[in-house]
Amino acid sequence: MKYYLVAGEASGDLHGANLMKALKVEDSHAVFRYFGGDKMQAEGGELVKHYADMAFMGFTEVVLNLRTIFKNMKACKEDVLGWKPDVLILIDFPGFNLKIADFAKAKGIKVCYYISPKVWAWNQKRVLKIKKIVDHLFCILPFEVDFYREWGMEVDYVGNPLLDEIAQFNPDADFRINHQIGDQKIIALLPGSRKQEIERLLPVMLSVTENHPDYTFVIAAAPTFSESYYQQFTGQKKVHLLFNNTYNLLNVAHAAIVASGTATLETALFEVPQVVVYKGGTISIAIARMLVKIKFISLVNLIVNKKIVTELIQEDCNPQRLNQELVQILDGEGRNEMLRNYQELLGLMGKPGASAKTARLIYSYLK
């Protein structure tokens, strides 16, 4: 069968690649075409557009880049229609993908949505729209099933695909030697994959490096940017830059400072104590504070429904506060408490197998 996938971010590329791998097990003649990234491309098929040209963060950034977004949307619709897939699989990225779903449904194309839009965070009435334009919705967070049921929509809970990725991970035993990192304890810096978040968060993250000379700081760099791009932030600071090796970094890290997003959950699953940071445009944050209905922004806290990790948002994301919170998780009771709380999270997350389960369900629905 012909599968058209749309992923607009690095995390979507990761999940899309794992889903493609699982679909090939169910359907040995599967053919793929997609908006995605390098990981999906490694699974075969044809990459139409890379997510690096699509990801804009926050209300203001979206408004400023509307022309590009509409151009990408038009290209996607035309390509889907021209290719005539058996199913359209949309992966997260709701601002873009829900419009593609609406279009595809109207054209009689079966729509599967993998990784539910976070409609529980704000404007919950969007569920009513989703019910009309999505044939099958696959959720990866435990609390989402009850949320959708309250709105009269049955969904499939498939577990979390990050567990699949981590289960497949083979640590590099010579990681420190291969990257000349040395024997000091490591503090990992994960500033995200989007240009806007890197430029807002990395300088704050780097501000704490001189306070901790006994630790080695390592930046998990996004593959879509060059080493010279990061050097404008690092300057003469003693930090390591690491591309395409985040899991090996988390595997040996003592602590981490992490941009809010999927990486917060990955860091917790590796049982690395962390401080979560987020900065958006002033207008974007003001609008979000009026609309968002959730108590937390990190997936770690959302899943357990209590504060496990500290979240430093906007004005709280400053060098002084960040250093204070980092000190709390380097040793002592603050660190121990976070590690204990991670066990509760691991219990709620369940076992690996999300990609395989989703692939089986999609294939069975198509048959």
Side-chain angles (χ1 to χ4, degrees):
M1 294 188 195
K2 294 167 70 176
Y3 303 85
Y4 200 112
L5 298 89
V6 182
E9 301 170 287
S11 59
D13 179 37
L14 169 68
H15 302 322
N18 280 334
L19 182 59
M20 288 166 66
K21 189 181 298 180
L23 281 167
K24 285 186 283 188
V25 174
E26 301 296 324
D27 180 1
S28 59
H29 300 292
V31 181
F32 300 106
R33 190 174 176 89
Y34 44 88
F35 278 40
D38 300 341
K39 288 183 170 63
M40 291 171 73
Q41 196 167 22
E43 291 301 321
E46 188 165 352
L47 174 66
V48 180
K49 182 168 283 292
H50 199 287
Y51 70 79
D53 301 323
M54 298 170 64
F56 301 102
M57 185 179 74
F59 296 97
T60 309
E61 291 77 11
V62 167
V63 170
L64 292 173
N65 291 281
L66 276 176
R67 181 177 293 182
T68 301
I69 293 167
F70 286 133
K71 183 180 175 183
N72 289 338
M73 209 170 283
K74 183 173 183 287
C76 185
K77 290 175 181 178
E78 290 175 353
D79 200 59
V80 168
L81 202 57
W83 201 57
K84 297 181 175 62
D86 292 292
V87 63
L88 175 66
I89 303 172
L90 304 169
I91 303 171
D92 204 357
F93 204 50
F96 188 95
N97 275 339
L98 286 176
K99 290 180 175 60
I100 301 299
D102 198 1
F103 168 82
K105 185 69 174 176
K107 297 296 182 181
I109 298 169
K110 189 176 285 292
V111 178
C112 289
Y113 209 119
Y114 180 42
I115 304 178
S116 157
K118 297 174 180 61
V119 289
W120 35 264
W122 67 282
N123 193 8
Q124 296 182 352
K125 288 184 179 179
R126 286 181 295 167
V127 176
L128 301 176
K129 179 70 171 177
I130 292 171
K131 284 172 68 175
K132 293 178 182 177
I133 63 176
V134 173
D135 294 295
H136 299 286
L137 181 63
F138 306 98
C139 295
I140 65 168
L141 298 173
F143 61 82
E144 291 178 325
V145 177
D146 289 338
F147 167 78
Y148 279 102
R149 192 166 288 147
E150 287 172 5
W151 284 89
M153 184 177 180
E154 291 299 319
V155 301
D156 290 300
Y157 174 66
V158 294
N160 199 291
L162 287 180
L163 294 169
D164 299 13
E165 188 69 11
I166 292 170
Q168 296 166 16
F169 165 65
N170 292 312
D172 178 2
D174 297 318
F175 172 72
R176 286 179 178 268
I177 295 169
N178 291 338
H179 296 279
Q180 299 177 319
I181 289 176
D183 296 327
Q184 285 187 321
K185 290 179 179 178
I186 292 173
I187 297 175
L189 304 180
L190 281 67
S193 60
R194 296 178 178 128
K195 189 170 185 285
Q196 294 100 328
E197 62 185 346
I198 294 169
E199 291 177 358
R200 289 189 178 120
L201 295 174
L202 188 52
V204 184
M205 291 181 172
L206 291 168
S207 70
V208 303
T209 57
E210 292 173 7
N211 298 323
H212 303 279
D214 295 335
Y215 290 85
T216 296
F217 286 81
V218 183
I219 300 170
T224 45
F225 297 97
S226 65
E227 186 172 342
S228 61
Y229 172 77
Y230 284 95
Q231 284 173 345
Q232 67 180 303
F233 305 106
T234 58
Q236 301 302 309
K237 292 182 182 294
K238 293 182 179 179
V239 294
H240 290 259
L241 197 61
L242 197 65
F243 289 90
N244 296 314
N245 236 320
T246 303
Y247 281 7
N248 271 309
L249 172 59
L250 289 174
N251 190 53
V252 298
H254 181 73
I257 304 170
V258 188
S260 177
T262 306
T264 63
L265 185 53
E266 290 174 304
T267 303
L269 293 174
F270 273 93
E271 299 184 57
V272 179
Q274 65 183 300
V275 181
V276 176
V277 293
Y278 181 82
K279 270 191 173 186
T282 305
I283 297 173
S284 298
I285 289 290
I287 294 170
R289 282 174 169 162
M290 287 189 290
L291 297 177
V292 173
K293 299 178 181 294
I294 52 177
K295 293 185 291 184
F296 307 110
I297 63 166
S298 68
L299 287 172
V300 178
N301 292 342
L302 282 167
I303 291 169
V304 185
N305 196 29
K306 70 178 183 182
K307 180 189 170 184
I308 289 182
V309 299
T310 296
E311 302 173 349
L312 298 179
I313 306 170
Q314 210 62 0
E315 59 274 4
D316 289 332
C317 182
N318 60 65
Q320 293 74 31
R321 278 296 309 278
L322 179 56
N323 193 60
Q324 288 171 7
E325 297 299 336
L326 178 61
V327 168
Q328 295 299 313
I329 62 170
L330 291 179
D331 53 47
E333 183 52 31
R335 178 182 179 83
N336 294 335
E337 183 181 5
M338 190 174 294
L339 290 171
R340 284 194 298 270
N341 283 327
Y342 277 170
Q343 298 310 307
E344 184 178 351
L345 173 73
L346 293 170
L348 289 170
M349 291 295 293
K351 303 294 183 183
S355 304
K357 185 174 181 180
T358 305
R360 280 196 301 272
L361 287 168
I362 289 174
Y363 190 59
S364 69
Y365 291 145
L366 291 178
K367 289 196 296 183

